[in-house]
Amino acid sequence: MRDMIKSFCNAFRSRAFSQELRIQGFYEDYHRTHACQPEIAVEGRPCETCREILMTFPPRSIRMLNRRRSTLNDDLGDMSDICVTPNDYVSILKSRRFEENIFVGEGKEMILNLLEWYRRTFELKRGSFNDDRVIKRLEEEGVEAPTQVLHYDEDSLETISAVVKNGFDPKTLTKEEIYRCMKLSDRTAMLVDDLDQLCIMGLPCDSKDFSTVERVDLAQH
């Protein structure tokens, strides 16, 4: 199977095959034969086979590869065992040049997955001046203790931004869908810088729906 994939990749790279070519049944066979080698993949770089597919196959075909991956369910067996993560998928594709916007079709699902998969929290604890002061303010705003501060790292925000810049219209999302993936609760506050970035990207987040924390107040975290 890997030899066949290599031949297809070479054909697409040399333009012997048109980028309009459809390959029926390829993705089912790809998983069934375990052509992916997740055991040799490293963070930020898929295995050679998956990387070659992402670098050379038509964008419509690559969409199918990504659909076979669920970042939220690890129990899907043969249909979720490839090593391509959302970060891999977006970072490699955005390095290519396409005449079409490649994230129009599945951008909504991808962004919601990213918001859930890459959410990070840390707990504010009493005992330091900064935390005590922030906790008191948040309690006055109705946030219950123990307070969890929601945030996203720079790479995940860049990945979400790349999906938006490459054709996805964030207006197709609703606040309810976004907040559900963020897993907001009465104990949740959000890092204001990250919320601002999501709003700038066009995601329909309303700052009035959040209690926020300034990064400068959290130097010890």
Side-chain angles (χ1 to χ4, degrees), residues 99-193:
E99 294 180 357
E100 63 175 309
N101 290 325
I102 59 178
F103 296 120
V104 172
E106 75 285 358
K108 178 175 182 176
E109 179 182 357
M110 177 172 281
I111 284 184
L112 292 176
N113 280 354
L114 290 169
L115 287 171
E116 182 168 0
W117 184 250
Y118 290 113
R119 69 185 294 278
R120 299 289 183 267
T121 61
F122 57 83
E123 183 177 321
L124 293 179
K125 298 181 179 180
R126 298 186 186 277
S128 72
F129 172 77
N130 278 356
D131 278 9
D132 287 348
R133 181 167 52 83
V134 173
I135 289 171
K136 181 179 179 181
R137 175 178 62 80
L138 292 174
E139 286 178 340
E140 291 173 352
E141 296 176 6
V143 180
E144 298 178 5
T147 302
Q148 300 291 322
V149 178
L150 170 67
H151 66 105
Y152 291 89
D153 62 33
E154 185 176 346
D155 287 342
S156 60
L157 290 171
E158 287 181 357
T159 301
I160 294 171
S161 179
V163 176
V164 173
K165 290 177 180 178
N166 283 275
F168 173 69
D169 182 0
K171 294 178 182 177
T172 62
L173 290 166
T174 66
K175 286 197 304 183
E176 292 73 21
E177 289 172 323
I178 292 173
Y179 296 169
R180 186 164 55 249
C181 290
M182 288 180 170
K183 300 181 180 179
L184 299 182
S185 74
D186 293 337
R187 290 187 169 89
T188 306
M190 187 166 184
L191 204 61
V192 67
D193 293 349

Side-chain angles (χ1 to χ4, degrees), residues 1-2 5 26 29-39 47-50 53 81-82:
M1 183 66 177
R2 292 192 190 100
I5 293 171
F26 169 80
D29 287 342
Y30 187 66
H31 288 269
R32 181 177 55 80
T33 59
H34 302 285
C36 172
Q37 297 175 283
E39 68 276 6
C47 74
E48 183 178 354
T49 307
C50 287
I53 291 173
D81 61 356
I82 65 172

Side-chain angles (χ1 to χ4, degrees), residues 15-26:
R15 300 188 181 278
F17 284 173
S18 167
Q19 289 283 303
E20 299 299 318
L21 181 66
R22 305 288 180 92
I23 311 172
Q24 188 172 1
F26 169 80

Side-chain angles (χ1 to χ4, degrees), residues 62-70 79 105-106 109:
I62 298 170
R63 288 196 193 107
M64 291 301 297
L65 177 66
N66 188 58
R67 284 201 188 97
R68 301 304 186 189
R69 167 84 180 183
S70 170
M79 301 310 284
E106 75 285 358
E109 179 182 357

